Amino acid sequence: MKVPFLDLKAQYLELQDEFDAAYRRVMDSGWYILGKELEAFEAEFAVYCQVKHCIGVGNGLDALHLILRASGIGPGDEVIVPTNTYIATWLAVTYSGATPVPVEPDEQTYNINPSRIESAITECTKAIMPVHLYGQPADMDRINEIAVRHGLKVFEDSAQAHGAKYKGRRTGGLGDAAGFSFYPGKNLGAFGDGGAVTTNDDDLAEIIRILRNYGSQIKYHNEVMGFNSRLDELHAAMLRVKLAKLDEWNERRKQVAALYFDQLTSNTNLVLPCVPDWADPVWHLFVVRSKKRGELQKQLTDARIGTMIHYPIPPHLQEAYSELGYGKGSFPISEKVHNEVLSLPMGPSMSPSQVSMVTETVRRLV
Ligand SMILES: *Cc1c(COP(=O)(O)O)cnc(C)c1O
């Protein structure tokens, strides 16, 4: 690959000494689950997200699932989710026993369209779960305003938006609670699976702490039927190293995005990302749209440039969700977007010359 889609090894090499020191520290401690590293990471990430509590869990899906469980959401309840998201958002709702109720995106930002939320609310609706897709915050003021009017909770799926800001405030504290993923490819990624819940709600934080650890506060005393979903000491130690670098890495992603905009705006056949003036995105992905996506992707692959499609099939058309009874045409905006999107290489380690290689190849086609 001349330009990899995302170079995770480069991120490791950049901070190798610090990772190696963190590894030694954990190994030497002789303590590997629910210890000092996790406590320190939770405190640091809570400060970073401008919230009172952070609870480390096993992955992003668990973070969202545990938020719903801890909020008492279950069978018979409905949770509003975007049609345009990774399937994990929907699965978290399904695992809680509730039903995901999909709402179409805004065609410019690809995030859930607040104007379409109210018609999806029924007497069973308990919460709205917006996703800050591709690293760009959803329109949270409008979503929160609807939630207040209908007595609903708002839970952010912030798995792609570590550090992103909405009207100057970080994601993770823009609703009642938020779920983060530390999957390796995310803006803040571990060397394996990891996740966290952030919230300002003391009670919710307490319940999630218990739920993630077998429903237990005191060892071998189980108050509720909990889960095993903890963020390991080793991952927490590694994440602390990366968290200290996150703002700089997000800044470098912004510079890559700025170069893309510079070099691609004249291509009228290509739809570039749209950033509302209140959004400060962290460019988890740089997603363009093209009617000739297949050709474009092939051309880039032939030039040994990595691309991906986020996502090729929307959740409502996945076999896994056939039971909900949706079909082709159920959510046309999302389907159209899914047919045209292409994610260009993006990451903190990308050089300006790599960006030029991508844009020159793109320009040859469109
Ligand atoms: C990655 C992701 C998740 C799930 O995170 P995992 O850590 O892989 O479980 C949830 N929602 C969105 C939008 C994601 O991108």
Side-chain angles (χ1 to χ4, degrees):
M1 274 288 154
K2 261 196 333 212
V3 187
F5 179 69
L6 171 67
D7 191 349
L8 283 179
K9 179 132 185 232
Q11 293 179 26
Y12 167 66
L13 292 176
E14 187 176 331
L15 298 173
Q16 186 170 14
D17 291 345
E18 280 136 285
F19 289 133
D20 292 353
Y23 166 81
R24 292 231 156 273
R25 199 168 69 232
V26 175
M27 289 300 136
D28 286 344
S29 77
W31 190 276
Y32 307 117
I33 282 181
L34 295 181
K36 290 201 177 75
E37 296 292 339
L38 178 60
E39 259 175 48
F41 172 72
E42 288 177 339
E44 289 158 12
F45 196 57
V47 169
Y48 183 83
C49 295
Q50 305 164 341
V51 294
K52 275 167 81 180
H53 305 282
C54 166
I55 305 104
V57 297
N59 53 66
L61 172 59
D62 284 0
L64 297 170
H65 171 215
L66 292 179
I67 290 170
L68 294 166
R69 289 258 171 182
S71 304
I73 290 170
D77 296 335
E78 293 176 358
V79 177
I80 289 173
V81 294
T83 53
N84 189 41
T85 182
Y86 181 54
I87 196 169
T89 319
W90 288 41
L91 286 175
V93 176
T94 304
Y95 288 163
S96 77
T99 304
V101 175
V103 167
E104 288 268 57
D106 175 295
E107 220 181 308
Q108 263 76 50
T109 66
Y110 312 131
N111 274 324
I112 194 166
N113 187 338
S115 314
R116 292 172 175 270
I117 290 177
E118 255 175 321
S119 59
I121 294 174
T122 72
E123 65 225 25
C124 299
T125 310
K126 290 288 176 328
I128 308 169
M129 196 177 267
V131 178
H132 307 306
L133 198 69
Y134 309 148
Q136 170 150 285
D139 194 350
M140 293 303 291
D141 279 355
R142 290 181 64 197
I143 293 166
N144 282 325
E145 185 264 317
I146 294 165
V148 167
R149 200 140 31 82
H150 294 269
L152 309 176
K153 299 278 187 191
V154 175
F155 303 129
E156 303 164 76
D157 180 340
S158 203
Q160 302 189 357
H162 319 69
K165 285 181 183 157
Y166 175 79
K167 301 185 182 173
R169 290 160 58 215
R170 292 234 201 246
T171 65
L174 303 172
D176 293 282
F180 284 89
S181 164
F182 304 128
Y183 176 81
K186 305 287 161 115
N187 287 40
L188 179 62
F191 295 97
D193 279 308
V197 174
T198 56
T199 182
N200 287 308
D201 182 330
D202 300 342
D203 296 332
L204 194 73
E206 193 60 36
I207 301 169
I208 290 170
R209 270 183 207 289
I210 295 169
L211 281 180
R212 76 167 170 187
N213 189 28
Y214 282 112
S216 160
Q217 268 180 305
I218 303 163
K219 207 171 169 76
Y220 305 131
H221 292 253
N222 302 85
E223 301 148 51
V224 291
M225 284 192 266
F227 302 85
N228 176 0
S229 186
R230 301 169 298 213
L231 182 63
D232 297 332
E233 286 290 280
L234 202 48
H235 289 310
M238 299 296 172
L239 285 167
R240 292 179 69 195
V241 173
K242 282 200 187 176
L243 179 58
K245 204 72 177 175
L246 181 57
D247 281 341
E248 187 194 318
W249 281 359
N250 281 342
E251 201 48 52
R252 277 152 54 180
R253 285 174 183 269
K254 269 177 219 177
Q255 286 163 11
V256 172
L259 290 174
Y260 273 141
F261 276 113
D262 266 7
Q263 296 167 26
L264 292 174
T265 26
S266 54
N267 289 103
T268 47
N269 291 324
L270 203 66
V271 181
L272 295 179
C274 163
V275 182
D277 54 10
W278 40 257
D280 186 6
V282 288
W283 302 106
H284 173 57
L285 297 169
F286 192 92
V287 177
V288 298
R289 267 165 71 193
S290 167
K291 299 252 186 259
K292 294 191 275 181
R293 176 181 67 189
E295 264 176 89
L296 185 59
Q297 185 170 35
K298 186 179 179 306
Q299 185 137 330
L300 287 159
T301 308
D302 291 347
R304 296 197 295 132
I305 292 167
T307 58
M308 288 183 80
I309 294 171
H310 296 92
Y311 296 91
I313 305 168
H316 75 273
L317 296 179
Q318 297 284 357
E319 208 182 322
Y321 273 114
S322 57
E323 64 181 53
L324 291 180
Y326 299 117
K328 265 212 165 69
S330 295
F331 300 106
I333 299 173
S334 192
E335 287 169 31
K336 182 177 164 208
V337 167
H338 277 75
N339 286 330
E340 297 179 358
V341 287
L342 185 68
S343 305
L344 301 181
M346 169 54 79
S349 313
M350 239 184 122
S351 69
S353 66
Q354 285 181 313
V355 176
S356 303
M357 273 188 249
V358 176
T359 57
E360 274 157 31
T361 310
V362 169
R363 284 206 304 258
R364 249 186 285 136
L365 186 76
V366 290

